[in-house]
Amino acid sequence: TTATTGSSESVDILERHRHRYEVNPAVVGEIQTKGGLLFTGRDDQGVRMEIAELPREEHPFYFGTQFHPEFKSRPTRPSPPFFAFAAVACGERTSGGGS
């Protein structure tokens, strides 16, 4: 279950990517297994890690992204990461997932 969608279903996200830092694909498995960080978003070719999260059991909203959600966010149409963060902060979404 991802922080932004509250679902384990695959969702296409079209956002501007930033290329300053990237996760070495060779260590992704180890980071997920030993560190608990989940890579829940990848590029369209499945190589580049785009979204990283901690499970909700570990933290109510721990979300990192390589894209810029603020570019498409508008006051009446917030980007899913901003909307999800606000929902968790307001108690609209619990650590168990869902609304």
Coordinates of all heavy atoms in Angstrom, one line a residue:
T1 N 0.9 -1.2 0.0 CA 0.0 0.0 0.0 C 0.9 1.2 0.0 O 1.8 1.4 0.8 CB -0.9 0.0 1.2 OG1 -1.7 -1.2 1.2 CG2 -1.8 1.2 1.2
T2 N 0.7 2.1 -0.9 CA 1.5 3.3 -1.0 C 0.9 4.5 -0.3 O -0.3 4.6 -0.1 CB 1.7 3.7 -2.5 OG1 0.5 4.2 -3.0 CG2 2.3 2.6 -3.3
A3 N 1.7 5.4 0.2 CA 1.3 6.6 0.9 C 0.4 7.5 0.1 O -0.6 8.0 0.6 CB 2.5 7.4 1.4
T4 N 0.6 7.6 -1.2 CA -0.2 8.5 -2.0 C -1.5 8.0 -2.4 O -2.5 8.7 -2.5 CB 0.6 9.0 -3.2 OG1 1.0 7.9 -4.0 CG2 1.8 9.9 -2.8
T5 N -1.6 6.7 -2.7 CA -2.8 6.1 -3.3 C -3.6 5.3 -2.2 O -4.8 5.1 -2.4 CB -2.5 5.2 -4.5 OG1 -1.8 4.1 -4.1 CG2 -1.8 6.0 -5.6
G6 N -2.9 4.9 -1.2 CA -3.6 4.0 -0.2 C -3.9 2.6 -0.8 O -4.7 1.9 -0.3
S7 N -3.3 2.3 -1.9 CA -3.6 1.1 -2.7 C -2.3 0.4 -3.1 O -1.2 1.0 -3.2 CB -4.4 1.4 -3.9 OG -4.5 0.3 -4.7
S8 N -2.4 -0.9 -3.3 CA -1.2 -1.6 -3.8 C -1.3 -1.8 -5.4 O -0.5 -2.4 -6.0 CB -1.1 -3.0 -3.2 OG -2.3 -3.7 -3.4
E9 N -2.3 -1.2 -6.0 CA -2.5 -1.3 -7.4 C -1.5 -0.4 -8.1 O -1.1 0.7 -7.6 CB -3.9 -0.9 -7.8 CG -4.9 -1.9 -7.4 CD -6.3 -1.4 -7.8 OE1 -6.4 -0.7 -8.8 OE2 -7.3 -1.8 -7.1
S10 N -1.1 -0.7 -9.3 CA -0.1 0.0 -10.1 C -0.8 1.3 -10.6 O -2.0 1.2 -11.1 CB 0.4 -0.8 -11.2 OG 1.3 -0.1 -12.0
V11 N -0.2 2.4 -10.5 CA -0.7 3.7 -11.0 C 0.4 4.4 -11.8 O 1.5 4.4 -11.4 CB -1.1 4.6 -9.8 CG1 -1.6 6.0 -10.3 CG2 -2.2 3.9 -9.0
D12 N 0.0 4.9 -13.0 CA 1.0 5.7 -13.8 C 1.0 7.1 -13.3 O 0.0 7.7 -13.2 CB 0.6 5.6 -15.3 CG 0.9 4.3 -15.9 OD1 1.7 3.5 -15.4 OD2 0.3 4.0 -16.9
I13 N 2.2 7.6 -13.0 CA 2.4 9.0 -12.6 C 3.3 9.7 -13.6 O 4.4 9.2 -13.9 CB 3.1 9.1 -11.2 CG1 2.2 8.4 -10.2 CG2 3.3 10.5 -10.8 CD1 2.8 8.3 -8.8
L14 N 2.8 10.8 -14.2 CA 3.6 11.5 -15.2 C 4.0 12.8 -14.6 O 3.2 13.7 -14.5 CB 2.8 11.7 -16.5 CG 2.3 10.5 -17.2 CD1 1.3 10.8 -18.3 CD2 3.4 9.6 -17.6
E15 N 5.3 12.9 -14.1 CA 5.8 14.1 -13.5 C 7.2 14.3 -14.0 O 7.9 13.4 -14.5 CB 5.9 13.8 -12.0 CG 4.5 13.7 -11.3 CD 3.8 15.0 -11.0 OE1 4.4 16.1 -11.2 OE2 2.7 15.0 -10.5
R16 N 7.7 15.5 -13.8 CA 9.1 15.9 -14.1 C 10.0 15.2 -13.1 O 9.9 15.4 -11.9 CB 9.2 17.4 -14.0 CG 10.6 17.9 -14.4 CD 10.6 19.4 -14.4 NE 11.9 19.9 -14.4 CZ 12.3 21.1 -14.2 NH1 11.4 22.0 -13.9 NH2 13.6 21.5 -14.2
H17 N 11.0 14.6 -13.7 CA 12.0 13.9 -12.8 C 13.2 14.7 -12.6 O 13.6 15.5 -13.5 CB 12.5 12.6 -13.6 CG 13.6 11.9 -12.9 ND1 13.3 11.0 -11.9 CD2 14.9 11.9 -13.1 CE1 14.5 10.5 -11.5 NE2 15.5 11.0 -12.2
R18 N 13.8 14.6 -11.5 CA 15.1 15.3 -11.3 C 16.2 14.3 -11.2 O 16.0 13.3 -10.6 CB 15.0 16.2 -10.0 CG 14.6 15.5 -8.8 CD 14.4 16.5 -7.6 NE 15.7 17.1 -7.3 CZ 16.0 17.7 -6.2 NH1 15.1 17.6 -5.2 NH2 17.1 18.3 -5.9
H19 N 17.4 14.6 -11.7 CA 18.5 13.7 -11.9 C 19.7 13.9 -11.0 O 20.8 13.5 -11.4 CB 18.9 13.6 -13.3 CG 18.1 12.7 -14.2 ND1 17.9 11.4 -14.0 CD2 17.4 13.0 -15.3 CE1 17.1 10.9 -14.9 NE2 16.8 11.9 -15.7
R20 N 19.6 14.6 -9.9 CA 20.8 14.9 -9.2 C 21.4 13.6 -8.5 O 22.6 13.4 -8.5 CB 20.5 15.9 -8.1 CG 20.3 17.3 -8.7 CD 20.3 18.4 -7.7 NE 20.0 19.6 -8.4 CZ 19.2 20.5 -8.0 NH1 18.6 20.4 -6.8 NH2 19.0 21.6 -8.6
Y21 N 20.5 12.8 -7.9 CA 21.0 11.6 -7.2 C 20.1 10.5 -7.6 O 18.9 10.6 -7.9 CB 20.9 11.8 -5.7 CG 21.6 13.0 -5.2 CD1 21.0 14.1 -4.9 CD2 23.0 12.9 -5.0 CE1 21.7 15.2 -4.4 CE2 23.7 14.0 -4.5 CZ 23.0 15.1 -4.2 OH 23.7 16.2 -3.8
E22 N 20.6 9.3 -7.6 CA 19.9 8.1 -8.0 C 20.3 6.9 -7.1 O 21.4 6.9 -6.6 CB 20.0 7.7 -9.4 CG 19.4 8.7 -10.3 CD 19.3 8.3 -11.8 OE1 19.5 7.1 -12.0 OE2 19.1 9.2 -12.6
V23 N 19.4 6.0 -6.9 CA 19.7 4.8 -6.1 C 20.4 3.8 -7.1 O 19.9 3.5 -8.2 CB 18.5 4.2 -5.5 CG1 18.8 2.9 -4.8 CG2 17.8 5.2 -4.6
N24 N 21.5 3.2 -6.6 CA 22.2 2.2 -7.4 C 21.2 0.9 -7.5 O 20.9 0.3 -6.4 CB 23.5 1.8 -6.7 CG 24.3 0.8 -7.5 OD1 23.7 0.1 -8.3 ND2 25.5 0.6 -7.1
P25 N 20.8 0.5 -8.7 CA 19.9 -0.6 -8.8 C 20.5 -1.9 -8.1 O 19.7 -2.8 -7.7 CB 19.7 -0.8 -10.3 CG 20.0 0.5 -10.8 CD 21.0 1.1 -10.0
A26 N 21.8 -2.0 -8.1 CA 22.4 -3.2 -7.5 C 22.2 -3.4 -6.0 O 22.3 -4.5 -5.5 CB 23.9 -3.2 -7.8
V27 N 21.8 -2.3 -5.3 CA 21.6 -2.4 -3.9 C 20.2 -2.2 -3.4 O 19.9 -2.2 -2.2 CB 22.5 -1.3 -3.1 CG1 24.0 -1.6 -3.4 CG2 22.2 0.1 -3.5
V28 N 19.2 -2.1 -4.4 CA 17.8 -1.9 -4.0 C 17.3 -3.0 -3.2 O 16.6 -2.8 -2.1 CB 17.0 -1.7 -5.3 CG1 15.5 -1.8 -5.0 CG2 17.3 -0.4 -6.0
G29 N 17.6 -4.2 -3.5 CA 17.1 -5.4 -2.7 C 17.6 -5.4 -1.3 O 16.8 -5.6 -0.4
E30 N 18.9 -5.1 -1.2 CA 19.4 -5.0 0.2 C 18.8 -3.9 1.0 O 18.5 -4.0 2.2 CB 21.0 -4.8 0.1 CG 21.7 -4.9 1.4 CD 23.2 -4.8 1.3 OE1 23.7 -4.8 0.2 OE2 23.8 -4.7 2.4
I31 N 18.6 -2.7 0.4 CA 18.0 -1.6 1.1 C 16.6 -2.0 1.6 O 16.2 -1.7 2.7 CB 18.0 -0.3 0.2 CG1 19.4 0.2 0.0 CG2 17.1 0.8 0.8 CD1 19.5 1.3 -1.0
Q32 N 15.9 -2.6 0.7 CA 14.5 -3.0 1.1 C 14.5 -4.1 2.1 O 13.7 -4.0 3.1 CB 13.7 -3.4 -0.2 CG 13.5 -2.3 -1.1 CD 12.5 -2.7 -2.3 OE1 11.6 -2.0 -2.5 NE2 12.8 -3.8 -2.9
T33 N 15.4 -5.1 2.0 CA 15.4 -6.2 3.0 C 15.9 -5.8 4.3 O 15.3 -6.0 5.3 CB 16.2 -7.3 2.4 OG1 15.7 -7.7 1.1 CG2 16.2 -8.5 3.3
K34 N 17.1 -5.1 4.3 CA 17.8 -4.8 5.6 C 17.3 -3.5 6.2 O 17.3 -3.3 7.4 CB 19.3 -4.8 5.4 CG 19.8 -6.2 5.1 CD 21.3 -6.1 5.0 CE 21.9 -7.5 4.7 NZ 23.3 -7.5 4.5
G35 N 17.0 -2.5 5.3 CA 16.7 -1.2 5.8 C 15.2 -0.9 6.0 O 14.8 0.0 6.7
G36 N 14.4 -1.7 5.3 CA 12.9 -1.5 5.4 C 12.3 -0.5 4.5 O 11.1 -0.3 4.5
L37 N 13.2 0.2 3.8 CA 12.7 1.3 2.9 C 12.1 0.6 1.7 O 12.7 -0.4 1.1 CB 13.8 2.2 2.5 CG 13.5 3.5 1.8 CD1 12.7 4.4 2.7 CD2 14.8 4.2 1.4
L38 N 10.9 1.0 1.2 CA 10.3 0.3 0.1 C 10.4 1.3 -1.1 O 10.0 2.5 -1.0 CB 8.8 0.0 0.4 CG 8.6 -0.9 1.6 CD1 7.1 -1.0 1.8 CD2 9.2 -2.2 1.4
F39 N 10.8 0.8 -2.3 CA 10.8 1.5 -3.5 C 9.4 1.2 -4.2 O 9.3 0.2 -4.8 CB 12.0 1.2 -4.3 CG 13.2 1.7 -3.7 CD1 14.1 0.8 -3.0 CD2 13.6 3.0 -3.7 CE1 15.2 1.2 -2.4 CE2 14.7 3.5 -3.1 CZ 15.6 2.6 -2.4
T40 N 8.5 2.1 -4.1 CA 7.1 1.9 -4.6 C 6.9 2.5 -5.9 O 5.8 2.4 -6.5 CB 6.1 2.4 -3.5 OG1 6.3 3.8 -3.3 CG2 6.2 1.6 -2.2
G41 N 7.8 3.3 -6.4 CA 7.7 3.9 -7.7 C 9.0 3.8 -8.5 O 10.1 4.0 -8.0
R42 N 8.8 3.4 -9.8 CA 10.0 3.3 -10.6 C 9.7 4.0 -12.0 O 8.5 4.3 -12.3 CB 10.3 1.8 -10.9 CG 10.7 1.1 -9.7 CD 10.9 -0.4 -9.9 NE 11.1 -1.1 -8.7 CZ 12.1 -1.9 -8.5 NH1 13.0 -2.2 -9.5 NH2 12.3 -2.5 -7.3
D43 N 10.7 4.2 -12.7 CA 10.5 4.9 -14.0 C 9.8 4.0 -15.0 O 9.5 2.8 -14.6 CB 11.9 5.4 -14.6 CG 12.8 4.3 -15.1 OD1 12.5 3.1 -14.8 OD2 13.8 4.6 -15.7
D44 N 9.5 4.5 -16.1 CA 8.7 3.7 -17.1 C 9.4 2.4 -17.6 O 8.8 1.5 -18.1 CB 8.2 4.5 -18.3 CG 9.4 5.2 -19.0 OD1 10.5 5.1 -18.6 OD2 9.1 5.8 -20.0
Q45 N 10.7 2.3 -17.4 CA 11.5 1.2 -17.8 C 11.8 0.2 -16.6 O 12.4 -0.8 -16.8 CB 12.8 1.6 -18.5 CG 12.4 2.4 -19.7 CD 13.6 2.6 -20.6 OE1 14.6 2.1 -20.5 NE2 13.3 3.4 -21.7
G46 N 11.3 0.6 -15.4 CA 11.5 -0.2 -14.2 C 12.9 -0.2 -13.6 O 13.2 -1.1 -12.8
V47 N 13.8 0.7 -14.0 CA 15.1 0.7 -13.6 C 15.4 1.8 -12.5 O 16.0 1.5 -11.5 CB 16.1 1.0 -14.8 CG1 17.5 1.1 -14.4 CG2 15.9 -0.1 -15.9
R48 N 15.0 3.0 -12.7 CA 15.3 4.1 -11.8 C 14.2 4.1 -10.7 O 13.0 4.0 -10.9 CB 15.2 5.4 -12.6 CG 16.3 6.3 -12.4 CD 16.1 7.6 -13.1 NE 16.9 7.6 -14.4 CZ 16.5 8.0 -15.5 NH1 15.3 8.5 -15.6 NH2 17.2 7.9 -16.6
M49 N 14.7 4.2 -9.5 CA 13.8 4.3 -8.3 C 13.3 5.8 -8.2 O 14.0 6.7 -8.2 CB 14.5 4.0 -7.0 CG 15.1 2.6 -7.0 SD 14.0 1.3 -7.3 CE 14.7 0.7 -8.8
E50 N 12.0 5.9 -8.3 CA 11.3 7.3 -8.3 C 10.7 7.6 -7.0 O 10.6 8.8 -6.6 CB 10.3 7.4 -9.4 CG 10.9 7.2 -10.8 CD 11.6 8.4 -11.3 OE1 11.6 9.5 -10.7 OE2 12.4 8.2 -12.3
I51 N 10.1 6.6 -6.2 CA 9.5 6.9 -5.0 C 9.9 5.9 -3.9 O 10.0 4.7 -4.2 CB 7.9 6.7 -5.1 CG1 7.4 7.7 -6.2 CG2 7.2 6.9 -3.8 CD1 5.9 7.5 -6.5
A52 N 10.3 6.4 -2.7 CA 10.6 5.5 -1.6 C 9.8 5.8 -0.4 O 9.4 7.0 -0.2 CB 12.1 5.8 -1.3
E53 N 9.4 4.8 0.3 CA 8.5 5.0 1.4 C 8.9 4.0 2.5 O 9.5 3.0 2.3 CB 7.0 4.7 1.1 CG 6.5 5.5 -0.1 CD 5.1 5.1 -0.4 OE1 4.2 5.2 0.5 OE2 4.8 4.8 -1.6
L54 N 8.5 4.3 3.8 CA 8.5 3.4 4.8 C 7.1 2.8 5.0 O 6.1 3.6 4.8 CB 8.9 4.0 6.2 CG 10.4 4.3 6.4 CD1 10.7 5.0 7.7 CD2 11.2 3.0 6.3
P55 N 6.9 1.6 5.4 CA 5.6 1.1 5.6 C 4.9 1.9 6.7 O 5.5 2.4 7.6 CB 5.8 -0.4 6.1 CG 7.2 -0.7 5.7 CD 8.0 0.6 5.7
R56 N 3.6 2.0 6.6 CA 2.8 2.8 7.5 C 2.9 2.3 8.9 O 2.7 3.0 9.9 CB 1.3 2.8 7.1 CG 1.2 3.6 5.8 CD -0.3 4.0 5.7 NE -0.4 4.7 4.4 CZ -1.4 4.6 3.6 NH1 -2.5 3.9 4.0 NH2 -1.4 5.2 2.4
E57 N 3.2 1.0 9.1 CA 3.4 0.4 10.4 C 4.6 1.1 11.1 O 4.7 1.1 12.3 CB 3.6 -1.1 10.4 CG 2.4 -1.8 9.9 CD 2.3 -1.8 8.3 OE1 3.4 -1.8 7.6 OE2 1.2 -1.8 7.8
E58 N 5.6 1.5 10.3 CA 6.8 2.2 10.8 C 6.6 3.7 11.0 O 7.2 4.2 11.9 CB 8.0 1.9 9.8 CG 8.3 0.5 9.6 CD 8.9 -0.2 10.8 OE1 9.7 0.5 11.5 OE2 8.6 -1.3 11.0
H59 N 5.9 4.3 10.1 CA 5.7 5.8 10.1 C 4.4 6.1 9.4 O 4.2 5.6 8.3 CB 6.9 6.4 9.5 CG 7.0 7.9 9.7 ND1 6.3 8.8 9.0 CD2 7.8 8.6 10.6 CE1 6.6 10.0 9.5 NE2 7.5 9.9 10.4
P60 N 3.6 7.1 9.9 CA 2.4 7.4 9.3 C 2.5 8.0 7.9 O 1.6 7.7 7.0 CB 1.7 8.4 10.2 CG 2.7 8.8 11.2 CD 3.8 7.8 11.1
F61 N 3.6 8.7 7.6 CA 3.8 9.2 6.3 C 5.3 9.5 6.0 O 5.8 10.6 6.4 CB 3.0 10.5 6.1 CG 2.9 10.9 4.6 CD1 2.0 10.4 3.8 CD2 3.8 11.9 4.1 CE1 1.9 10.8 2.4 CE2 3.8 12.3 2.8 CZ 2.8 11.7 1.9
Y62 N 6.0 8.6 5.5 CA 7.4 8.7 5.2 C 7.5 8.5 3.7 O 7.4 7.3 3.2 CB 8.3 7.8 6.0 CG 9.7 8.0 5.9 CD1 10.4 8.8 6.8 CD2 10.5 7.5 4.8 CE1 11.8 9.0 6.7 CE2 11.8 7.8 4.7 CZ 12.5 8.5 5.7 OH 13.8 8.8 5.5
F63 N 7.7 9.5 2.9 CA 7.6 9.5 1.5 C 8.7 10.3 0.9 O 8.8 11.5 1.2 CB 6.2 10.0 1.1 CG 5.9 10.1 -0.4 CD1 5.4 9.0 -1.1 CD2 6.1 11.3 -1.0 CE1 5.2 9.1 -2.4 CE2 5.9 11.4 -2.4 CZ 5.4 10.3 -3.1
G64 N 9.4 9.8 0.0 CA 10.4 10.6 -0.8 C 10.3 10.3 -2.3 O 9.9 9.2 -2.7
T65 N 10.5 11.4 -3.0 CA 10.3 11.2 -4.5 C 11.4 11.9 -5.2 O 12.0 12.9 -4.8 CB 8.9 11.8 -4.9 OG1 8.8 11.6 -6.3 CG2 8.8 13.2 -4.5
Q66 N 11.7 11.5 -6.4 CA 12.6 12.1 -7.3 C 11.9 13.1 -8.3 O 12.6 13.8 -8.9 CB 13.3 11.0 -8.2 CG 14.4 10.3 -7.5 CD 15.7 11.1 -7.4 OE1 15.7 12.2 -6.8 NE2 16.7 10.6 -8.0
F67 N 10.6 13.0 -8.3 CA 9.9 14.0 -9.2 C 9.5 15.2 -8.4 O 9.6 15.3 -7.2 CB 8.7 13.3 -9.9 CG 7.7 12.7 -9.1 CD1 6.6 13.6 -8.6 CD2 7.6 11.4 -8.7 CE1 5.6 13.0 -7.8 CE2 6.6 10.9 -8.0 CZ 5.6 11.7 -7.5
H68 N 8.9 16.2 -9.1 CA 8.5 17.5 -8.5 C 7.0 17.6 -8.4 O 6.4 18.1 -9.3 CB 9.1 18.6 -9.3 CG 10.5 18.8 -9.3 ND1 11.1 19.6 -8.4 CD2 11.5 18.3 -10.0 CE1 12.4 19.6 -8.5 NE2 12.7 18.8 -9.5
P69 N 6.4 17.1 -7.4 CA 4.9 17.1 -7.3 C 4.4 18.5 -7.3 O 3.2 18.8 -7.6 CB 4.6 16.3 -6.1 CG 5.8 16.3 -5.2 CD 6.9 16.4 -6.2
E70 N 5.2 19.5 -6.8 CA 4.7 20.9 -6.7 C 4.4 21.5 -8.1 O 3.6 22.5 -8.2 CB 5.7 21.8 -5.9 CG 7.0 22.1 -6.6 CD 8.1 21.0 -6.5 OE1 7.8 19.9 -6.1 OE2 9.2 21.3 -6.8
F71 N 5.0 21.0 -9.2 CA 4.8 21.6 -10.5 C 3.4 21.5 -11.0 O 2.9 22.3 -11.7 CB 5.8 21.1 -11.5 CG 7.2 21.6 -11.3 CD1 8.3 20.8 -11.7 CD2 7.5 22.8 -10.7 CE1 9.6 21.2 -11.6 CE2 8.8 23.2 -10.6 CZ 9.8 22.5 -11.0
K72 N 2.8 20.4 -10.7 CA 1.4 20.2 -11.2 C 0.4 20.4 -10.1 O -0.8 20.4 -10.4 CB 1.3 18.7 -11.7 CG 2.0 18.4 -13.0 CD 1.6 17.1 -13.5 CE 2.3 16.8 -14.9 NZ 1.9 15.5 -15.3
S73 N 0.8 20.7 -8.9 CA -0.2 20.9 -7.8 C -0.8 22.3 -7.9 O -0.1 23.3 -8.2 CB 0.5 20.8 -6.5 OG -0.4 20.6 -5.5
R74 N -2.1 22.4 -7.7 CA -2.8 23.6 -7.7 C -3.7 23.7 -6.5 O -4.1 22.6 -5.9 CB -3.7 23.7 -9.0 CG -3.0 23.7 -10.3 CD -2.1 25.0 -10.4 NE -1.3 25.0 -11.7 CZ -0.1 24.6 -11.8 NH1 0.6 24.1 -10.7 NH2 0.6 24.7 -12.9
P75 N -4.1 24.8 -6.0 CA -5.0 24.9 -4.8 C -6.2 24.0 -4.8 O -6.6 23.4 -3.8 CB -5.3 26.4 -4.7 CG -4.2 27.1 -5.4 CD -3.8 26.2 -6.5
T76 N -6.8 23.9 -5.9 CA -8.0 23.1 -6.0 C -7.8 21.7 -6.5 O -8.7 20.9 -6.6 CB -9.1 23.8 -6.9 OG1 -8.5 24.0 -8.2 CG2 -9.5 25.1 -6.4
R77 N -6.5 21.4 -7.0 CA -6.1 20.1 -7.5 C -4.7 19.8 -6.9 O -3.8 19.8 -7.7 CB -6.1 20.1 -9.0 CG -7.4 20.0 -9.7 CD -7.2 19.8 -11.2 NE -5.9 20.1 -11.7 CZ -5.6 21.2 -12.4 NH1 -6.4 22.2 -12.6 NH2 -4.3 21.4 -12.8
P78 N -4.6 19.5 -5.6 CA -3.3 19.2 -5.1 C -2.8 17.9 -5.7 O -3.5 16.9 -6.0 CB -3.5 19.1 -3.6 CG -5.0 18.7 -3.5 CD -5.7 19.4 -4.6
S79 N -1.5 17.8 -5.8 CA -0.8 16.6 -6.3 C -1.0 15.5 -5.2 O -1.1 15.8 -4.0 CB 0.7 16.9 -6.4 OG 1.4 15.8 -6.9
P80 N -1.2 14.2 -5.7 CA -1.4 13.2 -4.7 C -0.5 13.1 -3.5 O -1.0 12.9 -2.4 CB -1.3 11.9 -5.6 CG -1.8 12.4 -6.9 CD -1.2 13.7 -7.0
P81 N 0.8 13.4 -3.6 CA 1.7 13.4 -2.4 C 1.3 14.4 -1.4 O 1.2 14.2 -0.2 CB 3.1 13.6 -2.9 CG 3.1 13.2 -4.3 CD 1.7 13.5 -4.8
F82 N 0.9 15.6 -1.9 CA 0.5 16.7 -1.0 C -0.8 16.4 -0.3 O -1.1 16.6 0.9 CB 0.4 18.1 -1.7 CG 1.8 18.5 -2.2 CD1 2.0 18.9 -3.5 CD2 2.9 18.6 -1.3 CE1 3.2 19.4 -3.9 CE2 4.1 19.0 -1.7 CZ 4.3 19.4 -3.0
F83 N -1.8 15.9 -1.1 CA -3.1 15.6 -0.6 C -3.0 14.5 0.4 O -3.6 14.5 1.5 CB -4.0 15.1 -1.8 CG -5.4 14.9 -1.4 CD1 -6.3 16.0 -1.3 CD2 -5.9 13.6 -1.1 CE1 -7.6 15.8 -0.8 CE2 -7.2 13.5 -0.7 CZ -8.0 14.5 -0.6
A84 N -2.2 13.4 0.2 CA -2.0 12.3 1.1 C -1.4 12.8 2.4 O -1.8 12.4 3.5 CB -1.2 11.2 0.5
F85 N -0.4 13.7 2.3 CA 0.3 14.2 3.5 C -0.7 15.0 4.4 O -0.8 14.8 5.6 CB 1.5 15.1 3.1 CG 2.1 15.7 4.3 CD1 2.8 15.0 5.2 CD2 2.0 17.1 4.6 CE1 3.4 15.5 6.4 CE2 2.5 17.7 5.7 CZ 3.3 16.9 6.6
A86 N -1.5 15.8 3.7 CA -2.5 16.6 4.4 C -3.6 15.7 5.1 O -4.0 15.9 6.2 CB -3.2 17.6 3.5
A87 N -4.0 14.7 4.4 CA -4.9 13.7 4.9 C -4.4 13.0 6.2 O -5.1 12.9 7.2 CB -5.3 12.7 3.9
V88 N -3.2 12.6 6.1 CA -2.6 11.9 7.3 C -2.4 12.9 8.5 O -2.8 12.7 9.6 CB -1.2 11.3 7.0 CG1 -0.5 10.9 8.2 CG2 -1.4 10.1 6.0
A89 N -2.0 14.2 8.1 CA -1.8 15.2 9.2 C -3.1 15.6 9.8 O -3.2 15.9 11.0 CB -1.2 16.4 8.6
C90 N -4.2 15.5 9.1 CA -5.6 15.9 9.6 C -6.3 14.7 10.2 O -7.4 14.8 10.7 CB -6.4 16.4 8.5 SG -5.8 18.0 7.9
G91 N -5.7 13.5 10.2 CA -6.3 12.3 10.8 C -7.3 11.7 9.8 O -8.1 10.8 10.3
E92 N -7.3 12.1 8.6 CA -8.3 11.5 7.6 C -7.9 10.1 7.1 O -8.6 9.4 6.6 CB -8.5 12.4 6.4 CG -9.1 13.7 6.8 CD -10.5 13.6 7.2 OE1 -11.3 12.8 6.7 OE2 -10.9 14.3 8.2
R93 N -6.6 9.8 7.3 CA -6.1 8.5 6.9 C -5.2 8.0 8.0 O -4.4 8.7 8.5 CB -5.2 8.7 5.6 CG -4.9 7.3 5.0 CD -3.9 7.5 3.9 NE -4.6 7.8 2.6 CZ -3.9 8.0 1.5 NH1 -2.6 7.9 1.5 NH2 -4.6 8.3 0.4
T94 N -5.5 6.8 8.4 CA -4.8 6.2 9.5 C -3.6 5.4 9.1 O -3.4 5.1 7.9 CB -5.7 5.3 10.4 OG1 -6.1 4.2 9.6 CG2 -6.9 6.1 10.9
S95 N -2.8 4.9 10.0 CA -1.6 4.1 9.6 C -2.0 2.8 9.1 O -1.1 2.1 8.5 CB -0.7 3.9 10.9 OG -1.4 3.2 11.9
G96 N -3.2 2.3 9.2 CA -3.6 1.1 8.6 C -4.0 1.2 7.2 O -4.2 0.2 6.5
G97 N -4.0 2.3 6.6 CA -4.3 2.5 5.2 C -5.8 2.9 5.0 O -6.6 2.8 5.9
G98 N -6.0 3.3 3.8 CA -7.4 3.7 3.5 C -7.8 5.1 4.1 O -7.0 5.7 4.8
S99 N -9.0 5.5 3.8 CA -9.5 6.8 4.3 C -10.2 6.6 5.6 O -10.8 5.6 5.9 CB -10.4 7.4 3.3 OG -9.7 7.7 2.1

